[in-house]
Amino acid sequence: MKIKIKSFRNNVSFAAIIIYFLITLVRYFKDAIFHSNTVAALVLLFTAFIFFFETWRERDGKILLNQYDKAWLLILIFMLLNRDWGYDWFRTLMCAIGIVAYLCIGKRIYYVKYGMTLCILFAILTATVSWYEIINYDGYIRILSKLYLPEEVDSIVRFYRQGMMSGLTSHYSSNTFYMVSAIICIISDNWASNISKVKKGRIIKWILVGYLLVTALMVGKRGHLVFLFATLFLTYFTLQINSSKKIKQSIASVIIIIITFPIILEKVPQVSNFFSRLFANSGDILNGRGDLYKNALDMFLRSPLIGQGYGSFSVLMNYENPGVHNDYLQFLCEWGVVGFAICLVAYGGCLYITYMHYRKICSNEYSFEDRRLLLWSIMIQIFVAMYSLTGIPHYDFEVYMLFCMACAVPKNITPLFSKYKKV
């Protein structure tokens, strides 16, 4: 029996996307799966090779770069060469592979829909474990003991006693991010279905959004949810659809929230954890980070041009803090003015290109798949841009690797008018 080469290559590309997303999702308990960072690194390097080889082959041995791609390439060079060599090599490698994926994913970008499905499934799993955490605490600890080292389990328990649930992850922040990323995946699918007049399964998907949102409120992470709501608001109200339709849907959403929220609050009192932390005296999302910002500015002033190297802030703090909790400040202190400007060009340029596509998303030149990817892309990019004010999404590879893939969407989707030109 003959093996179809094209089919085989498609299967390999599909497998590479699945592996890319899976390792991103199991980041916290990868040691229980791979038992070694080296094994996990080799698996991811294989996926990066597949992306590069397939792009090189389909472009006849040429890797074409636009002006923003060149900025991304400079970020990769900075990340690998202008770095503090005491910084975690595996974290650096994962982020570097995210950039390789951005540069080389090509038309395999349409396989990302399977990665989005994995994000949703994993979020449902970690959300369910978060509920199990309340129902059967001892059983939950037994699950953790199979995934994490004893000291990591102790850390998760400390968070739990403060009212913050980590689910399957080792930190309540990551638990919330996985749910936020799934909510974005589901809503992008639903909004694309709405534009494309596809009604199948939309009610079930909204129920899933409700389940994940209630669980995220219960987990108690403030920043992620505030930025998620802001992202959804900005994305929806800049969507080029009928204004009266927007108003009707907004009013309907507000009515549903007003009716259901008191019921949810009564049945799931843990949901109030989010609001108590948000409005408490110590509820400032930036609380306690003034010293981190001061240290970062001092680092920047010591080497303002090219900074002190990728990961140098974490090394300076003896790993007590993985980052400044403001990526814009961290770019300045680690890569100086030069690196900061390159990052703004690369990331800002991708957001600009995505928005140019997004403005025309309702036109007939975009298919349902294009619309879903564009909505997912712009929401992930807006969320990361805002989250960068108080977090370290460009250094947490479970965020950054999804972000890189989202940034690759606008330059690789093929609107219908382009397809027709090729016929």
Side-chain angles (χ1 to χ4, degrees):
M1 184 177 69
K2 292 183 178 180
I3 298 175
K4 294 183 178 179
I5 299 298
K6 186 175 181 180
S7 175
F8 174 75
R9 284 173 175 160
N10 287 341
N11 290 336
V12 170
S13 297
F14 168 77
I17 287 284
I18 294 298
I19 292 170
Y20 181 92
F21 274 85
L22 272 177
I23 293 187
T24 302
L25 293 171
V26 302
R27 163 240 219 251
Y28 279 97
F29 45 92
K30 62 179 172 53
D31 292 337
I33 298 172
F34 296 104
H35 303 290
S36 166
N37 279 346
T38 304
V39 174
L42 289 173
V43 172
L44 263 176
L45 284 170
F46 169 74
T47 66
F49 172 76
I50 293 298
F51 294 151
F52 176 82
F53 176 76
E54 286 296 296
T55 300
W56 177 79
R57 182 190 58 80
E58 71 185 17
R59 295 179 182 175
D60 298 322
K62 298 177 181 178
I63 301 293
L64 304 176
L65 302 176
N66 62 36
Q67 57 184 340
Y68 302 120
D69 292 346
K70 292 173 183 176
W72 278 80
L73 187 59
L74 286 174
I75 291 175
L76 179 62
I77 292 170
F78 260 68
M79 191 177 287
L80 296 178
L81 299 182
N82 183 24
R83 63 183 297 258
D84 190 309
W85 293 95
Y87 184 62
D88 184 352
W89 70 268
F90 185 75
R91 186 184 286 265
T92 304
L93 178 65
M94 293 285 277
C95 291
I97 286 175
I99 297 176
V100 173
Y102 162 82
L103 292 170
C104 300
I105 188 66
K107 296 309 172 188
R108 284 155 298 284
I109 197 68
Y110 287 99
Y111 287 129
V112 166
K113 65 181 179 181
Y114 301 110
M116 292 167 68
T117 301
L118 283 176
C119 287
I120 295 168
L121 292 174
F122 186 84
I124 293 171
L125 179 61
T126 191
T128 303
V129 171
S130 297
W131 287 92
Y132 185 67
E133 198 170 340
I134 299 172
I135 299 166
N136 185 352
Y137 179 75
D138 292 335
Y140 171 67
I141 295 299
R142 283 195 293 272
I143 292 173
L144 292 183
S145 64
K146 296 181 184 301
L147 299 174
Y148 297 106
L149 296 172
E151 56 267 26
E152 293 173 315
V153 175
D154 292 340
S155 175
I156 296 169
V157 169
R158 283 197 300 273
F159 280 124
Y160 180 79
R161 287 171 180 166
Q162 297 173 40
M164 297 169 284
M165 291 175 285
S166 301
L168 269 180
T169 74
S170 64
H171 197 283
Y172 72 107
S173 177
S174 300
N175 193 21
T176 309
F177 171 72
Y178 288 132
M179 285 181 263
V180 165
S181 65
I183 289 170
I184 288 175
C185 290
I186 298 169
I187 289 179
S188 63
D189 185 277
N190 264 359
W191 285 356
S193 298
N194 189 23
I195 297 169
S196 304
K197 296 180 171 58
V198 178
K199 296 184 178 181
K200 185 178 179 182
R202 279 161 60 181
I203 294 176
I204 295 174
K205 291 168 188 172
W206 282 119
I207 292 172
L208 278 177
V209 167
Y211 173 64
L212 293 172
L213 186 56
V214 168
T215 309
L217 287 169
M218 186 175 69
V219 168
K221 181 63 178 175
R222 299 158 296 177
H224 287 65
L225 290 174
V226 169
F227 297 138
L228 171 65
F229 296 142
T231 296
L232 296 177
F233 178 84
L234 285 173
T235 307
Y236 184 72
F237 282 96
T238 54
L239 189 61
Q240 300 296 313
I241 61 174
N242 187 282
S243 297
S244 62
K245 189 175 182 180
K246 282 184 186 178
I247 294 171
K248 289 177 183 176
Q249 291 177 345
S250 300
I251 292 173
S253 299
V254 170
I255 291 172
I256 290 170
I257 291 170
I258 291 172
I259 293 171
T260 59
F261 186 73
I263 299 171
I264 293 169
L265 199 56
E266 180 183 352
K267 301 295 183 183
V268 190
Q270 290 87 351
V271 166
S272 62
N273 186 33
F274 168 78
F275 298 99
S276 62
R277 295 191 71 239
L278 184 63
F279 298 114
N281 291 333
S282 60
D284 184 0
I285 293 173
L286 301 178
N287 189 44
R289 294 178 181 170
D291 290 340
L292 295 178
Y293 297 164
K294 183 179 181 300
N295 289 334
L297 287 172
D298 288 342
M299 281 182 65
F300 166 67
L301 293 174
R302 285 198 295 270
S303 181
L305 192 59
I306 60 171
Q308 298 194 28
Y310 183 77
S312 56
F313 183 85
S314 179
V315 176
L316 173 72
M317 299 295 291
N318 295 318
Y319 301 99
E320 290 181 12
N321 289 96
V324 181
H325 286 285
N326 182 313
D327 273 355
Y328 304 108
L329 269 178
Q330 193 145 346
F331 293 152
L332 273 174
C333 75
E334 294 190 347
W335 283 346
V337 174
V338 174
F340 180 80
I342 291 170
C343 289
L344 287 186
V345 170
Y347 304 142
C350 283
L351 183 57
Y352 173 76
I353 294 173
T354 308
Y355 179 68
M356 289 297 102
H357 278 285
Y358 181 68
R359 289 176 58 191
K360 303 181 291 181
I361 198 170
C362 294
S363 68
N364 291 330
E365 65 191 67
Y366 292 98
S367 67
F368 166 75
E369 297 288 346
D370 295 331
R371 288 166 177 159
R372 178 169 58 186
L373 282 172
L374 278 172
L375 282 161
W376 175 74
S377 173
I378 198 166
M379 281 194 273
I380 289 289
Q381 290 183 68
I382 292 173
F383 174 81
V384 169
M386 289 190 288
Y387 180 31
S388 295
L389 293 168
T390 63
I392 50 171
H394 296 87
Y395 294 78
D396 280 339
F397 58 75
E398 76 271 17
V399 182
Y400 190 66
M401 291 176 76
L402 294 183
F403 172 73
C404 290
M405 201 63 81
C407 289
V409 168
K411 73 190 188 90
N412 289 306
I413 62 170
T414 310
L416 294 175
F417 73 86
S418 297
K419 294 175 186 175
Y420 293 146
K421 285 180 180 180
K422 292 179 182 179
V423 174

